[in-house]
Amino acid sequence: AQTVTQSQPEMSVQEAETVTLSCTYDTSESDYYLFWYKQPPSRQMILVIRQEAYKQQNATENRFSVNFQKAAKSFSLKISDSQLGDAAMYFCAYRYLGGFKTIFGAGTRLFVKA
Amino acid sequence: EAQVTQNPRYLITVTGKKLTVTCSQNMNHEYMSWYRQDPGLGLRQIYYSMNVEVTDKGDVPEGYKVSRKEKRNFPLILESPSPNQTSLYFCASSLSGLNSYEQYFGPGTRLTVT
C-alpha cells in the first residue's frame, strides 16, 4: 500500500528566509503524481505545486520549488522569501497516474515570524 | 464561477441521528471524492466516484454511505453517526483523464457528534 510521511509536525521560518518541508513516500508504482497542498486558517485546500514522476526536472512555481528524488522516494518543498501569508498547514500527497485514490501525509504546520 | 460547494458548513448533532452532507460541483467533473481530516492524520479518503452510479470505498468507509445519481452531486450520508465521526469533511472533484491531476476542494464541513 502506498504511504506518505511528513516527519515534521511543525516548522518555523523568519520572514524573507527560506524553509524546506520534507516528505517521503512509499509506492511500487513507477508513474504517479506528487503534490503539495496549502491549507490556511480558512481551511480551504489550495494546490501549491505538482510533480509528475516521469519528469526529471523539478517543478517550480514562483517562490515554491520541489526537490524530487525518485530513487529515494523523497519530495521536499522549498519556500523562498517566506511571507506572512505562507503560514499554513502544508500537506504532501500522492496519486497513482490514472488512479482515483489520493494519499495525503499528516501535514506540517508552518509558522512565519515577522 | 467554477466551484465545489458543501452544505452545511457546520453541524452539531447527536449520536444516532441520521444526517446528510451535500456536495455539488459545476465543472462537469466525472470524478468526485470525500475525505475526512483529523489532527495528526491528514486527509483520508472515505469514498470516491468515477462517474454516475459508479462508486468505490476509500481507506475509511465504515459508517458512511454515498450515492451518485447525478453527475454534479455526491452526498455523504451518515446513517447512525457516532462521536468518532467528529471531523472536518472535504468533498473534491476533478476530471478523470490520465492527465487530470488537479482536485478542486469544497470549503469543508465541520461535524461534531455528541
Side-chain angles (χ1 to χ4, degrees), chain B residues 92-105:
Chain B
S93 74
S94 72
L95 293 169
S96 63
L98 282 179
N99 294 321
S100 299
Y101 50 83
E102 182 167 3
Q103 289 191 83
Y104 295 80
F105 284 83

Side-chain angles (χ1 to χ4, degrees), chain A residues 13-19 63 79-84 86:
Chain A
V13 63
Q14 200 72 33
E15 197 175 7
E17 299 289 305
T18 296
V19 65
R63 297 183 294 106
I79 306 174
S80 304
D81 185 26
S82 296
Q83 301 174 0
L84 295 177
D86 295 333

Side-chain angles (χ1 to χ4, degrees), chain A:
Chain A
Q2 295 92 353
T3 59
V4 176
T5 301
Q6 294 178 249
S7 58
Q8 308 152 316
E10 293 183 353
M11 291 283 286
S12 182
V13 63
Q14 200 72 33
E15 197 175 7
E17 299 289 305
T18 296
V19 65
T20 298
L21 308 184
S22 301
C23 174
T24 59
Y25 59 95
D26 189 23
T27 183
S28 58
E29 306 293 343
S30 58
D31 295 321
Y32 49 87
Y33 293 111
L34 294 165
F35 309 90
W36 279 99
Y37 284 89
K38 172 184 178 181
Q39 186 181 48
S42 67
R43 303 189 321 213
Q44 184 66 42
M45 293 290 287
I46 302 165
L47 179 63
V48 174
I49 199 167
R50 79 175 189 280
Q51 174 80 42
E52 291 90 338
Y54 61 85
K55 291 186 178 178
Q56 293 189 344
Q57 186 172 6
N58 289 323
T60 299
E61 289 286 344
N62 300 314
R63 297 183 294 106
F64 298 87
S65 61
V66 298
N67 183 4
F68 173 49
Q69 304 287 333
K70 191 173 184 179
K73 297 180 181 175
S74 171
F75 182 60
S76 60
L77 175 69
K78 185 171 83 172
I79 306 174
S80 304
D81 185 26
S82 296
Q83 301 174 0
L84 295 177
D86 295 333
M89 181 73 86
Y90 286 83
F91 292 100
C92 178
Y94 162 99
R95 180 174 177 178
Y96 167 59
L97 187 69
F100 297 98
K101 180 179 283 192
T102 302
I103 310 296
F104 286 81
T108 295
R109 184 168 297 282
L110 178 66
F111 298 94
V112 181
K113 302 177 194 175

